[in-house]
Amino acid sequence: MISLTDSQKIGMGLTGFGVFFLFFGMILFFDKALLAIGNILFVAGLSFVIGLERTFRFFFQKHKIKATSFFLGGVLVVLIGWPIIGVVLEIYGFFLLFRGFFPVIVGFIRRIPVLGSILNLPFISAYVDKAGESNTMV
């Protein structure tokens, strides 16, 4: 079992609440306040989980500057008050930032009994295989 420090436990809680507020804000027709709270909690939770220095190193790598600018620009646009445009920018930046993890995620999901059989259906398999390909390092 993985042992977590107290700050990592707090970070997991903050990240979880951040994802909840982001999801709830989208369900309630892109509520600006909920999306802003969710963004702040998500980024703060990520910083608590992996540490402040590693967070900065992850976001500000030379090959991830475009992705980071889209993600953090989306957060800023949501905070300014344009939630739909901000969420679109955030989602694009999120996929650019974490695309190196997608092959690992697809491989893990394919090992889950029910979800793996769904991902191996002919019309879904082509899209999942395309999403699972990655030419970039994490």
Side-chain angles (χ1 to χ4, degrees), residues 90-113:
E90 283 180 44
I91 290 172
Y92 181 66
F94 182 83
F95 282 120
L96 288 179
L97 275 172
F98 295 103
R99 69 179 167 198
F101 295 111
F102 289 149
V104 176
I105 293 168
V106 168
F108 176 76
I109 292 175
R110 284 199 169 162
R111 294 180 189 192
I112 298 173

Side-chain angles (χ1 to χ4, degrees), residues 58-108:
F58 175 75
F59 277 108
F60 296 110
Q61 294 175 11
K62 193 168 194 159
H63 64 281
K64 291 185 180 181
I65 291 296
K66 176 182 171 185
T68 300
S69 62
F70 271 104
F71 182 75
L72 296 178
V75 171
L76 182 67
V77 170
V78 168
L79 291 174
I80 289 172
W82 294 334
I84 295 174
I85 296 169
V87 168
V88 168
L89 291 174
E90 283 180 44
I91 290 172
Y92 181 66
F94 182 83
F95 282 120
L96 288 179
L97 275 172
F98 295 103
R99 69 179 167 198
F101 295 111
F102 289 149
V104 176
I105 293 168
V106 168
F108 176 76

Side-chain angles (χ1 to χ4, degrees), residues 25-83:
M26 284 190 244
I27 293 295
L28 293 176
F29 302 113
F30 293 94
D31 183 54
K32 291 183 256 189
L34 291 174
L35 290 173
I37 291 170
N39 284 327
I40 292 168
L41 288 175
F42 179 78
V43 173
L46 186 65
S47 298
F48 269 92
V49 170
I50 65 174
L52 199 56
E53 180 183 345
R54 290 179 69 192
T55 302
F56 279 111
R57 274 194 278 147
F58 175 75
F59 277 108
F60 296 110
Q61 294 175 11
K62 193 168 194 159
H63 64 281
K64 291 185 180 181
I65 291 296
K66 176 182 171 185
T68 300
S69 62
F70 271 104
F71 182 75
L72 296 178
V75 171
L76 182 67
V77 170
V78 168
L79 291 174
I80 289 172
W82 294 334

